[in-house]
Amino acid sequence: MRIDLHVHSSASDGTDSPAALLGLAGQVGLDVVALTDHDTTAGWAEAIAAVPPGLTLVPGIEISARWWEGPGSPIGLHLLAYLPDPDEPELAAALAAVRRNRSTRAQRMVDLLRAGGIDVTWDEVLSDAAGAPVGRPHLAQALIRRGLVDTVSEAFAPQWLGQQFRLPKDDLEVFDALRLIRGAGGVPVFAHPLAHRRGRVVPDTVIAEMAAAGLAGLEADHPDHGPAERDHARRLATELGLFVTGSSDYHGSNKPTGIAVELTSPASYEQILDQATGSTPVASPVTPDRTG
Ligand code: AMP
Ligand code: FE
Ligand code: FE
Ligand code: ZN
């Protein structure tokens, strides 16, 4: 079984449409793929309609959250929510608020860029996002169009969106997010929990508190984790009674990572299926055999 539980479509900051993504997942021989766009379920319907034969789609979300205690600024973290009920009102309202915050923040980042003499416009960023929750990759595309950088990765350098023109996001408090995911029947997995190269990560004690608050798994195998981080995540998972997953975090041409470069074990996938009550995986309808 080949199982990739974390990919993005153009419904957030990936470049493949949900339908194209499902086609690609089938072509590369995946058995299971989870669509996990940032803070939205808007891509689910198109993905569900495009599941090719032999593939199972796990509808999911990657939720922007933060942990904040004591002095200093919050630490951002991402929670994957598998198979939640997309219409559960509390979760849906919280995600809508996160998307509004993303939009305000991105507009302020455009203002910052313009104040720095970089002539990008909010209109072009909005039209590039085409209804998706706006993220820095959309701003990166504007910088690429200006010829200021060549790639999205370059746009994440400190002198650009990595630091100089970066503003914090107003995300869900992590323990609220865990409660909302479980309340919607979803199964929460901590995405790239130890990816230091993305910024600060939460201490192990917080991961233990998250486990006590309903966290189900840790994404141990992720392109942003080195061998030490993968080992650490596995040890921590064993200690805390969590399962581990592996996923590509594919974003189309916005990132160099290919789909299916990291995989999840069938045993972990089974645990997700056992715990989920919000929605169900989608397999392509079997073509009726009329020939007898
Ligand atoms: P935002 O949610 O607006 O803060 O933007 C974060 C998103 O940018 C992540 O979900 C990734 O898709 C993308 N990203 C983060 N770091 C990089 C990087 N170094 N190169 C390319 N994309 C990145
Ligand atoms: Fe992303
Ligand atoms: Fe993430
Ligand atoms: Zn992701």
Side-chain angles (χ1 to χ4, degrees), residues 8 12-14 38 62 78 102 137 198 249 251 255:
H8 294 266
S12 66
D13 58 1
H38 296 285
E62 184 174 21
H78 289 171
R102 275 182 170 278
R198 287 170 169 250
D249 203 355
H251 277 73
K255 276 194 185 174

Side-chain angles (χ1 to χ4, degrees), residues 53-154:
L55 181 69
T56 296
L57 167 68
V58 172
I61 317 167
E62 184 174 21
I63 299 180
S64 306
R66 63 182 191 182
W67 175 77
W68 198 4
E69 190 181 80
S73 50
I75 297 179
L77 50 105
H78 289 171
L79 290 178
L80 295 157
Y82 295 113
L83 299 165
D85 173 358
D87 300 320
E88 194 285 316
E90 249 201 295
L91 177 63
L95 292 177
V98 169
R99 293 194 298 269
R100 281 194 302 275
N101 289 335
R102 275 182 170 278
S103 180
T104 313
R105 173 248 204 174
Q107 283 181 66
R108 289 176 52 223
M109 286 175 72
V110 166
D111 292 343
L112 262 186
L113 285 162
R114 294 180 65 84
I118 297 141
D119 177 33
V120 297
T121 68
W122 176 236
D123 273 358
E124 73 171 287
V125 173
L126 254 194
S127 89
D128 181 48
V134 189
R136 283 180 286 161
H138 300 110
L139 296 166
Q141 292 298 343
L143 299 180
I144 291 171
R145 281 193 299 273
R146 293 294 179 286
L148 294 165
V149 294
D150 289 329
T151 63
V152 175
S153 300
E154 242 181 81

Side-chain angles (χ1 to χ4, degrees), residues 159-172:
Q159 69 271 31
W160 295 110
L161 307 172
Q163 194 177 316
Q164 178 108 23
F165 297 100
R166 177 185 188 168
L167 290 172
K169 289 209 307 296
D170 195 7
D171 294 325
L172 293 178

Side-chain angles (χ1 to χ4, degrees), residues 207-279:
I207 300 182
E209 287 170 34
M210 289 168 67
L215 183 70
L218 296 179
E219 193 181 52
D221 292 317
H222 182 282
D224 288 347
H225 281 176
E229 290 150 341
R230 291 167 195 239
D231 284 352
H232 188 131
R234 276 181 221 288
R235 269 205 314 278
L236 207 51
T238 305
E239 246 173 73
L240 299 172
L242 307 174
F243 59 78
V244 293
T245 64
S247 300
S248 66
D249 203 355
Y250 174 74
H251 277 73
S253 61
N254 271 347
K255 276 194 185 174
T257 313
I259 195 168
V261 297
E262 309 276 359
L263 299 171
T264 293
S265 71
S268 292
Y269 175 50
E270 283 301 323
Q271 294 206 45
I272 292 176
L273 298 183
D274 287 348
Q275 293 183 34
T277 57
S279 56

